[in-house]
Amino acid sequence: MDDHSKKVVLRWWQSMMSPPAQLSSLHIQPAPTSYKAQLKRCESADDAMLTDGFRALWLNLSDEIINQDNSRNIECWATIAAVLVHVKSESKNKLAVAAGKKGEGDKSVVSELRFSQLQNAKTPEDFLRRLRRVVQQVKGDVSAVDLAIDIQKWFSEYGQLRPRKADKRISVQWAMDYYRAASGKRK
């Protein structure tokens, strides 16, 4: 994800989630509350594509992204919109780190089984459903931009005939972050 796209994602997310006083200092117009409500009700990326909230994100991306002749591209960005609407506060936590941290007791916030189901999602619909569930379990306390980057990596790997090197795959990076956080180790 290029720097322009990261900036667009962050400003779009802030327009929906940040308090008006903060938005005013950042010179960002607050998004109508209906944007967030519509995106939260979406059951698929196709549903998200039909929302005003998605269009507010999509139409601010570069022409290079919008004009790509690849249906997976728009599906990826619709998934980003449908998931980021569940991120409640901007933090530095990556998704896998937040999921692997110890919750109450000695268990991780997200169980190994649920996290492995996310890693092994076979379709974009399954990925969206499982990703939303994990984001809700970590109470939306993840970095919106890092999550968008992870979603984009997943889509770039989805449907590839030649798999990437193991250490470059998103599922492997998530596993390393998850188990590192679960063990209490830092990078």
Side-chain angles (χ1 to χ4, degrees):
M1 184 177 289
D2 62 22
D3 289 341
H4 175 73
S5 298
K6 289 177 187 174
K7 187 176 177 181
V8 168
V9 165
L10 182 60
R11 290 180 69 87
W12 173 83
W13 178 83
Q14 288 172 326
S15 75
M16 290 198 300
M17 301 298 181
S18 297
Q22 185 180 357
L23 291 176
S24 178
S25 68
L26 295 171
H27 306 289
I28 298 173
Q29 288 282 2
T33 55
S34 62
Y35 286 11
K36 191 166 53 174
Q38 289 172 344
L39 283 167
K40 281 188 173 184
R41 286 194 300 266
C42 293
E43 292 185 17
S44 68
D46 288 347
D47 292 345
M49 287 179 214
L50 301 175
T51 66
D52 294 329
F54 169 70
R55 279 192 294 278
L57 172 63
W58 180 249
L59 295 176
N60 281 306
L61 295 170
S62 68
D63 289 343
E64 183 178 307
I65 292 172
I66 292 173
N67 295 328
Q68 279 184 0
D69 189 23
N70 179 352
S71 65
R72 288 279 175 230
N73 186 40
I74 194 168
E75 186 175 21
C76 170
W77 284 98
T79 301
I80 288 171
V83 172
L84 291 190
V85 77
H86 294 279
V87 175
K88 294 180 180 170
S89 60
E90 179 64 11
S91 81
K92 303 264 184 226
N93 288 335
K94 289 186 168 190
L95 177 70
V97 173
K101 283 184 179 175
K102 300 291 182 199
E104 294 177 20
D106 198 28
K107 295 182 177 179
S108 295
V109 173
V110 177
S111 71
E112 284 184 44
L113 176 62
R114 179 152 294 168
F115 200 75
S116 71
Q117 290 171 337
L118 172 65
Q119 292 174 292
N120 295 317
K122 300 291 184 213
T123 64
E125 295 81 19
D126 188 34
F127 179 67
L128 172 60
R129 185 174 50 82
R130 294 185 186 284
L131 188 55
R132 279 177 151 177
R133 189 176 301 151
V134 169
V135 169
Q136 289 170 344
Q137 275 193 281
V138 299
K139 301 185 180 356
D141 187 28
V142 296
S143 165
V145 173
D146 286 340
L147 183 55
I149 292 169
D150 287 352
I151 293 168
Q152 196 173 42
K153 284 181 182 175
W154 188 89
F155 271 91
S156 72
E157 292 174 9
Y158 177 72
Q160 274 192 341
L161 298 176
R162 295 175 49 191
R164 291 181 170 184
K165 290 181 181 177
D167 64 328
K168 303 292 182 203
R169 283 187 237 146
I170 189 65
S171 61
V172 173
Q173 291 172 358
W174 277 349
M176 299 300 286
D177 289 344
Y178 179 89
Y179 289 111
R180 189 175 295 122
S183 70
K185 291 182 180 176
R186 296 180 183 245
K187 245 184 182 176

